[in-house]
Amino acid sequence: MEHPDPNPQSGSAPKARGAVIVVAISVFLNFTGFTLILPVIPFLVGRYVAPEQVGLYVGLIVSVFALCAFGAAPVLGALSDRYGRRPILMLSLLGSAAGYFIFGLGGALWILFAGRMIDGLTAGNISTVYAYVADTFAPADRGRIYGLLGAVGGLGFMLGPVAGGLLGAIFPAAPLFAAALLTLGNIAWVYFALPESIARDATRPAWRWQQLNPLAQLAHVLGIAALRVPFGAAFCFFFAGTMLQSNFAVYLKDVLQFGPTGIGWVLFTVGVMDIVSQGLLTRALLPRLGAGLLTRSGLAINAVGFALIACLVFVPRIEFLLASIVIFTLGDGLFQPSINAIIANAAPADAQGLVQGANQSHTASISD
């Protein structure tokens, strides 16, 4: 299979457009799958711990996932440079499906941890998709495509939590089994519909056992001077975001007494704003303002949203919550496609998987 020409003026432009449609559907299925489980995690964890410990153990489960992803994502990224994007993407999705299924089975607290560990050890689908886009599109187009994928992910984020909340109200583990089935469907979609983005005759980097060391991988990537500041900004952004995301459902449960359905509808609002901010605003503003300015603006707006969400403790009203989420997600939507474009454009062409894997490893959160 021929390597898609990133030049949009070439004859392979229709092939590239077709590939991004396939990738967008895969991203939609992925985001729908993992957001199905968000409204019910505190209630599943609450089966095995005291009510006052739910927030602690939800945070620990998220941290265990992130630790596993930190170790695995750079390795998977390097493997995708060597063996191709499709097999690594399917392997990562298979791990997610297995993790969801085990988490849904439950039976003991350690089984919940095991499910998220399996998911974390195969967490490479987002970085592989970003590397696929970098393979397929010219640097000037990548930010626009990342914004499009962010909007498609927002659509999944909009629908997944609502469906998860409705399913969770019937049976708390049902969203986990639904997520596993949806992810298996995503594997089939990738297998049949997604062409490989690395040409068979392309020069591929040799595999070295040192690549199993995530710290060495990260140090190697940070040896690229142009990546140091973007990686630092991404780390700070996602570190703060993970602290919120890991306990957001618990926060809503305790502050506003929301159940799974109410939490699902709040996350629906997040998805709507992702579509607006990444699908409309970022795609319109990026060519005019540039990735650097949008990155800085997104961080500033996101910080205001964080502060407002924290103030929900003092103003426990749904209207205040919704306004806070709109501002928070607006900043998020401006920042993520812009920083991803900066990182992809600074990465060497033959190390996109490695760089994107390292990026995912140090920004790992509840998503996979």
Side-chain angles (χ1 to χ4, degrees), residues 62-75:
V62 173
S63 296
V64 165
F65 169 86
L67 178 63
C68 293
F70 173 79
V75 177

mmCIF file with all atom_site columns, all heavy atoms in Angstrom, residues 62-75:
data_model
loop_
_atom_site.group_PDB
_atom_site.id
_atom_site.type_symbol
_atom_site.label_atom_id
_atom_site.label_alt_id
_atom_site.label_comp_id
_atom_site.label_asym_id
_atom_site.label_entity_id
_atom_site.label_seq_id
_atom_site.pdbx_PDB_ins_code
_atom_site.Cartn_x
_atom_site.Cartn_y
_atom_site.Cartn_z
_atom_site.occupancy
_atom_site.B_iso_or_equiv
_atom_site.pdbx_formal_charge
_atom_site.auth_seq_id
_atom_site.auth_comp_id
_atom_site.auth_asym_id
_atom_site.auth_atom_id
_atom_site.pdbx_PDB_model_num
ATOM 1  N N   . VAL A 1 62 ? -7.338 5.856  38.743 1.00 0.00 ? 62 VAL A N   1
ATOM 2  C CA  . VAL A 1 62 ? -6.880 6.688  37.636 1.00 0.00 ? 62 VAL A CA  1
ATOM 3  C C   . VAL A 1 62 ? -5.356 6.766  37.616 1.00 0.00 ? 62 VAL A C   1
ATOM 4  O O   . VAL A 1 62 ? -4.716 6.688  36.557 1.00 0.00 ? 62 VAL A O   1
ATOM 5  C CB  . VAL A 1 62 ? -7.496 8.092  37.732 1.00 0.00 ? 62 VAL A CB  1
ATOM 6  C CG1 . VAL A 1 62 ? -6.894 9.026  36.684 1.00 0.00 ? 62 VAL A CG1 1
ATOM 7  C CG2 . VAL A 1 62 ? -9.000 8.022  37.566 1.00 0.00 ? 62 VAL A CG2 1
ATOM 8  N N   . SER A 1 63 ? -4.743 6.881  38.796 1.00 0.00 ? 63 SER A N   1
ATOM 9  C CA  . SER A 1 63 ? -3.287 6.978  38.868 1.00 0.00 ? 63 SER A CA  1
ATOM 10 C C   . SER A 1 63 ? -2.613 5.693  38.411 1.00 0.00 ? 63 SER A C   1
ATOM 11 O O   . SER A 1 63 ? -1.566 5.736  37.754 1.00 0.00 ? 63 SER A O   1
ATOM 12 C CB  . SER A 1 63 ? -2.859 7.307  40.306 1.00 0.00 ? 63 SER A CB  1
ATOM 13 O OG  . SER A 1 63 ? -3.340 8.574  40.704 1.00 0.00 ? 63 SER A OG  1
ATOM 14 N N   . VAL A 1 64 ? -3.206 4.546  38.751 1.00 0.00 ? 64 VAL A N   1
ATOM 15 C CA  . VAL A 1 64 ? -2.637 3.271  38.313 1.00 0.00 ? 64 VAL A CA  1
ATOM 16 C C   . VAL A 1 64 ? -2.693 3.169  36.794 1.00 0.00 ? 64 VAL A C   1
ATOM 17 O O   . VAL A 1 64 ? -1.731 2.731  36.142 1.00 0.00 ? 64 VAL A O   1
ATOM 18 C CB  . VAL A 1 64 ? -3.386 2.095  38.972 1.00 0.00 ? 64 VAL A CB  1
ATOM 19 C CG1 . VAL A 1 64 ? -3.088 0.778  38.270 1.00 0.00 ? 64 VAL A CG1 1
ATOM 20 C CG2 . VAL A 1 64 ? -3.000 1.998  40.439 1.00 0.00 ? 64 VAL A CG2 1
ATOM 21 N N   . PHE A 1 65 ? -3.824 3.571  36.204 1.00 0.00 ? 65 PHE A N   1
ATOM 22 C CA  . PHE A 1 65 ? -3.929 3.596  34.743 1.00 0.00 ? 65 PHE A CA  1
ATOM 23 C C   . PHE A 1 65 ? -2.841 4.493  34.154 1.00 0.00 ? 65 PHE A C   1
ATOM 24 O O   . PHE A 1 65 ? -2.151 4.120  33.189 1.00 0.00 ? 65 PHE A O   1
ATOM 25 C CB  . PHE A 1 65 ? -5.306 4.090  34.313 1.00 0.00 ? 65 PHE A CB  1
ATOM 26 C CG  . PHE A 1 65 ? -5.408 4.388  32.839 1.00 0.00 ? 65 PHE A CG  1
ATOM 27 C CD1 . PHE A 1 65 ? -5.715 3.386  31.939 1.00 0.00 ? 65 PHE A CD1 1
ATOM 28 C CD2 . PHE A 1 65 ? -5.164 5.669  32.356 1.00 0.00 ? 65 PHE A CD2 1
ATOM 29 C CE1 . PHE A 1 65 ? -5.794 3.648  30.573 1.00 0.00 ? 65 PHE A CE1 1
ATOM 30 C CE2 . PHE A 1 65 ? -5.234 5.943  30.995 1.00 0.00 ? 65 PHE A CE2 1
ATOM 31 C CZ  . PHE A 1 65 ? -5.553 4.920  30.105 1.00 0.00 ? 65 PHE A CZ  1
ATOM 32 N N   . ALA A 1 66 ? -2.685 5.685  34.710 1.00 0.00 ? 66 ALA A N   1
ATOM 33 C CA  . ALA A 1 66 ? -1.715 6.643  34.172 1.00 0.00 ? 66 ALA A CA  1
ATOM 34 C C   . ALA A 1 66 ? -0.296 6.118  34.302 1.00 0.00 ? 66 ALA A C   1
ATOM 35 O O   . ALA A 1 66 ? 0.532  6.307  33.407 1.00 0.00 ? 66 ALA A O   1
ATOM 36 C CB  . ALA A 1 66 ? -1.862 7.981  34.887 1.00 0.00 ? 66 ALA A CB  1
ATOM 37 N N   . LEU A 1 67 ? 0.023  5.451  35.421 1.00 0.00 ? 67 LEU A N   1
ATOM 38 C CA  . LEU A 1 67 ? 1.358  4.889  35.608 1.00 0.00 ? 67 LEU A CA  1
ATOM 39 C C   . LEU A 1 67 ? 1.647  3.826  34.559 1.00 0.00 ? 67 LEU A C   1
ATOM 40 O O   . LEU A 1 67 ? 2.734  3.792  33.967 1.00 0.00 ? 67 LEU A O   1
ATOM 41 C CB  . LEU A 1 67 ? 1.483  4.304  37.013 1.00 0.00 ? 67 LEU A CB  1
ATOM 42 C CG  . LEU A 1 67 ? 2.823  3.641  37.349 1.00 0.00 ? 67 LEU A CG  1
ATOM 43 C CD1 . LEU A 1 67 ? 3.955  4.673  37.294 1.00 0.00 ? 67 LEU A CD1 1
ATOM 44 C CD2 . LEU A 1 67 ? 2.764  2.994  38.735 1.00 0.00 ? 67 LEU A CD2 1
ATOM 45 N N   . CYS A 1 68 ? 0.686  2.959  34.316 1.00 0.00 ? 68 CYS A N   1
ATOM 46 C CA  . CYS A 1 68 ? 0.861  1.925  33.292 1.00 0.00 ? 68 CYS A CA  1
ATOM 47 C C   . CYS A 1 68 ? 0.999  2.547  31.906 1.00 0.00 ? 68 CYS A C   1
ATOM 48 O O   . CYS A 1 68 ? 1.829  2.111  31.094 1.00 0.00 ? 68 CYS A O   1
ATOM 49 C CB  . CYS A 1 68 ? -0.319 0.949  33.320 1.00 0.00 ? 68 CYS A CB  1
ATOM 50 S SG  . CYS A 1 68 ? -0.415 -0.065 34.811 1.00 0.00 ? 68 CYS A SG  1
ATOM 51 N N   . ALA A 1 69 ? 0.192  3.568  31.629 1.00 0.00 ? 69 ALA A N   1
ATOM 52 C CA  . ALA A 1 69 ? 0.282  4.238  30.333 1.00 0.00 ? 69 ALA A CA  1
ATOM 53 C C   . ALA A 1 69 ? 1.625  4.935  30.168 1.00 0.00 ? 69 ALA A C   1
ATOM 54 O O   . ALA A 1 69 ? 2.194  4.968  29.066 1.00 0.00 ? 69 ALA A O   1
ATOM 55 C CB  . ALA A 1 69 ? -0.856 5.245  30.180 1.00 0.00 ? 69 ALA A CB  1
ATOM 56 N N   . PHE A 1 70 ? 2.156  5.483  31.261 1.00 0.00 ? 70 PHE A N   1
ATOM 57 C CA  . PHE A 1 70 ? 3.462  6.141  31.209 1.00 0.00 ? 70 PHE A CA  1
ATOM 58 C C   . PHE A 1 70 ? 4.541  5.161  30.748 1.00 0.00 ? 70 PHE A C   1
ATOM 59 O O   . PHE A 1 70 ? 5.422  5.508  29.950 1.00 0.00 ? 70 PHE A O   1
ATOM 60 C CB  . PHE A 1 70 ? 3.823  6.693  32.586 1.00 0.00 ? 70 PHE A CB  1
ATOM 61 C CG  . PHE A 1 70 ? 5.214  7.249  32.677 1.00 0.00 ? 70 PHE A CG  1
ATOM 62 C CD1 . PHE A 1 70 ? 5.507  8.507  32.190 1.00 0.00 ? 70 PHE A CD1 1
ATOM 63 C CD2 . PHE A 1 70 ? 6.240  6.490  33.232 1.00 0.00 ? 70 PHE A CD2 1
ATOM 64 C CE1 . PHE A 1 70 ? 6.796  9.018  32.255 1.00 0.00 ? 70 PHE A CE1 1
ATOM 65 C CE2 . PHE A 1 70 ? 7.535  6.991  33.306 1.00 0.00 ? 70 PHE A CE2 1
ATOM 66 C CZ  . PHE A 1 70 ? 7.811  8.255  32.817 1.00 0.00 ? 70 PHE A CZ  1
ATOM 67 N N   . GLY A 1 71 ? 4.474  3.926  31.245 1.00 0.00 ? 71 GLY A N   1
ATOM 68 C CA  . GLY A 1 71 ? 5.455  2.935  30.849 1.00 0.00 ? 71 GLY A CA  1
ATOM 69 C C   . GLY A 1 71 ? 5.228  2.364  29.466 1.00 0.00 ? 71 GLY A C   1
ATOM 70 O O   . GLY A 1 71 ? 6.181  2.045  28.746 1.00 0.00 ? 71 GLY A O   1
ATOM 71 N N   . ALA A 1 72 ? 3.964  2.246  29.066 1.00 0.00 ? 72 ALA A N   1
ATOM 72 C CA  . ALA A 1 72 ? 3.643  1.522  27.837 1.00 0.00 ? 72 ALA A CA  1
ATOM 73 C C   . ALA A 1 72 ? 3.574  2.405  26.603 1.00 0.00 ? 72 ALA A C   1
ATOM 74 O O   . ALA A 1 72 ? 3.949  1.967  25.507 1.00 0.00 ? 72 ALA A O   1
ATOM 75 C CB  . ALA A 1 72 ? 2.311  0.794  28.010 1.00 0.00 ? 72 ALA A CB  1
ATOM 76 N N   . ALA A 1 73 ? 3.064  3.639  26.739 1.00 0.00 ? 73 ALA A N   1
ATOM 77 C CA  . ALA A 1 73 ? 2.797  4.460  25.554 1.00 0.00 ? 73 ALA A CA  1
ATOM 78 C C   . ALA A 1 73 ? 4.039  4.730  24.701 1.00 0.00 ? 73 ALA A C   1
ATOM 79 O O   . ALA A 1 73 ? 3.964  4.635  23.470 1.00 0.00 ? 73 ALA A O   1
ATOM 80 C CB  . ALA A 1 73 ? 2.125  5.770  25.966 1.00 0.00 ? 73 ALA A CB  1
ATOM 81 N N   . PRO A 1 74 ? 5.199  5.069  25.285 1.00 0.00 ? 74 PRO A N   1
ATOM 82 C CA  . PRO A 1 74 ? 6.374  5.273  24.423 1.00 0.00 ? 74 PRO A CA  1
ATOM 83 C C   . PRO A 1 74 ? 6.796  4.004  23.690 1.00 0.00 ? 74 PRO A C   1
ATOM 84 O O   . PRO A 1 74 ? 7.245  4.063  22.541 1.00 0.00 ? 74 PRO A O   1
ATOM 85 C CB  . PRO A 1 74 ? 7.469  5.723  25.405 1.00 0.00 ? 74 PRO A CB  1
ATOM 86 C CG  . PRO A 1 74 ? 6.746  6.199  26.611 1.00 0.00 ? 74 PRO A CG  1
ATOM 87 C CD  . PRO A 1 74 ? 5.505  5.374  26.691 1.00 0.00 ? 74 PRO A CD  1
ATOM 88 N N   . VAL A 1 75 ? 6.676  2.858  24.349 1.00 0.00 ? 75 VAL A N   1
ATOM 89 C CA  . VAL A 1 75 ? 7.024  1.584  23.712 1.00 0.00 ? 75 VAL A CA  1
ATOM 90 C C   . VAL A 1 75 ? 6.087  1.314  22.535 1.00 0.00 ? 75 VAL A C   1
ATOM 91 O O   . VAL A 1 75 ? 6.521  0.948  21.434 1.00 0.00 ? 75 VAL A O   1
ATOM 92 C CB  . VAL A 1 75 ? 6.969  0.432  24.726 1.00 0.00 ? 75 VAL A CB  1
ATOM 93 C CG1 . VAL A 1 75 ? 7.254  -0.905 24.051 1.00 0.00 ? 75 VAL A CG1 1
ATOM 94 C CG2 . VAL A 1 75 ? 7.963  0.672  25.860 1.00 0.00 ? 75 VAL A CG2 1
#
